[in-house]
Amino acid sequence: KEILNQVDANATALAITDSCQHFAIGQEDGKVVIHAAGRDGESHALATGLGHITSIAFGKKPEFSKVDGRKRSHWLLATADNVGTIIIWDLADYTPVSMVRGIVHQVNGVKFSSHGSMLASASHSYVQLWNPYNGGHLLTLHHTHRRQGLAFSSDDAMLVVGGAANPGNSPAEQV
């Protein structure tokens, strides 16, 4: 095995695409850098203007070609920070698609559904579902414990949420 790409950065959050073609690094200064995987992969920096980046996630965005009508995909990226802001970026042109507002605590985790139609966020004692294309709020689930781990099933029918109630105890719940 060999190291294909090494980046000197103070990483506070990491994500990689399902295809392993791109990875992203979130930093304390609110910057997120997207890298093409492999030797000499190009990179692109996003200046979020946010606080400390706490979580990032890639999600697929379905697209339809105007030439042949076949379904195509490219990537979305969700960036979350320690003051409760989430920005969803379209990585085809590195522009913001939407901004999620209304989270009052640090965002501990973000995860796109497998089809890219929902974004889940975990914070202090909340799990929330959002429309990634307009930032619209879909659902809030209240919990008594800090939440951070999120995983959607491959058919998006189930969301598993993890967190910690007490030191040494990490409950996971199906939603």
Side-chain angles (χ1 to χ4, degrees), residues 40-164:
D40 304 319
E42 63 181 68
S43 64
H44 190 88
L46 302 175
T48 66
L50 302 176
H52 172 110
I53 299 297
T54 55
S55 184
I56 52 181
F58 284 101
K60 291 183 181 174
K61 179 182 179 185
E63 288 291 312
F64 288 91
S65 168
K66 293 181 178 163
V67 176
D68 59 13
R70 292 189 309 173
K71 195 172 186 177
R72 311 252 189 237
S73 288
H74 66 267
W75 296 102
L76 297 173
L77 183 75
T79 59
D81 72 4
N82 64 329
V83 294
T85 304
I86 300 172
I87 300 176
I88 294 92
W89 302 83
D90 186 334
L91 297 187
D93 56 7
Y94 302 101
T95 58
V97 173
S98 65
M99 181 178 285
V100 169
R101 293 195 170 107
I103 303 172
V104 296
H105 298 284
Q106 170 176 307
V107 179
N108 299 320
V110 289
K111 180 72 175 171
F112 281 97
S113 61
S114 62
H115 300 106
S117 60
M118 286 185 291
L119 178 73
S121 67
S123 61
H124 178 67
S125 57
Y126 301 98
V127 172
Q128 294 176 292
L129 297 178
W130 308 93
N131 178 328
Y133 301 102
N134 63 18
H137 178 258
L138 302 173
L139 178 68
T140 296
L141 303 169
H142 298 275
H143 294 278
T144 57
H145 310 300
R146 181 174 175 246
R147 299 292 166 207
Q148 60 190 41
L150 300 163
F152 278 97
S153 61
S154 61
D155 64 357
D156 294 336
M158 187 178 350
L159 174 65
V160 178
V161 179

